[in-house]
């Protein structure tokens, strides 16, 4: 699913990134274990996080993740916005909490719920 369509269905908005209508998302990762993210992520993975610092963008760049979804309507700091723009990483702001965001992502992407993420 294209990132812009996914954000619209979630009631989220995109604050950074290049051409979100071209970014394809087929799965997401919503765990705090960076080691697992390194093995689970691909170029079509949306990372769901509460981290509001540019370090998450460095990790995303390292593993070629095109977008990060911040939950709870969190507002990124200017430093994070500028790092995202510099790297071309899309930042999506979800108005929902973690559980609501994950439920919506499972439905939108047609994925089976995994209890580990809920």
């Amino acid at each position: 699913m294209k990132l812009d369509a996914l954000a619209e269905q979630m009631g989220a908005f995109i604050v950074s990134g290049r051409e979100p209508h071209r970014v394809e998302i087929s799965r997401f990762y919503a765990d705090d274990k960076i080691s697992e993210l390194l093995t689970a992520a691909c170029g079509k993975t949306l990372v769901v996080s509460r981290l509001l610092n540019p370090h998450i963008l460095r990790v995303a760049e390292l593993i070629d993740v095109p977008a990060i979804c911040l939950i709870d309507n969190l507002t990124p700091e200017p430093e994070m916005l500028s790092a995202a723009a510099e790297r071309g990483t899309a930042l999506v702001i979800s108005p929902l909490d973690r559980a609501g965001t994950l439920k919506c992502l499972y439905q939108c992407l047609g994925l089976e719920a995994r209890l580990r993420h809920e």
Side-chain angles (χ1 to χ4, degrees):
M1 172 176 261
K2 299 295 182 190
L3 182 60
D4 59 344
L6 180 60
E8 184 177 331
Q9 284 191 23
M10 291 174 56
F13 58 97
I14 301 169
V15 295
S16 180
R18 297 184 194 129
E19 301 181 329
H21 62 282
R22 295 185 188 266
V23 175
E24 184 72 31
I25 300 294
S26 61
R27 59 182 169 176
F28 64 93
Y29 182 82
D31 202 325
D32 294 333
K33 297 178 183 170
I34 297 297
S35 59
E36 289 185 22
L37 173 60
L38 292 172
T39 60
C42 71
K44 294 182 178 185
T45 302
L46 175 69
V47 173
V48 179
S49 180
R50 286 190 49 86
L51 294 176
L52 286 175
N53 65 52
H55 301 301
I56 187 87
L57 291 160
R58 291 186 188 106
V59 172
E61 183 180 37
L62 175 69
I63 55 179
D64 200 29
V65 168
I68 297 170
C69 178
L70 300 173
I71 58 174
D72 292 325
N73 216 23
L74 294 172
T75 304
E77 301 281 328
E79 182 181 359
M80 186 174 190
L81 287 170
S82 117
E86 181 181 306
R87 290 172 172 76
T89 303
L91 287 179
V92 179
I93 310 296
S94 171
L96 305 172
D97 64 6
R98 184 178 190 274
T101 298
L102 298 184
K103 181 179 178 183
C104 193
L105 286 169
Y106 283 122
Q107 291 171 345
C108 290
L109 296 174
L111 300 173
E112 234 178 81
R114 293 177 188 92
L115 293 176
R116 188 176 135 241
H117 291 295
E118 304 202 344

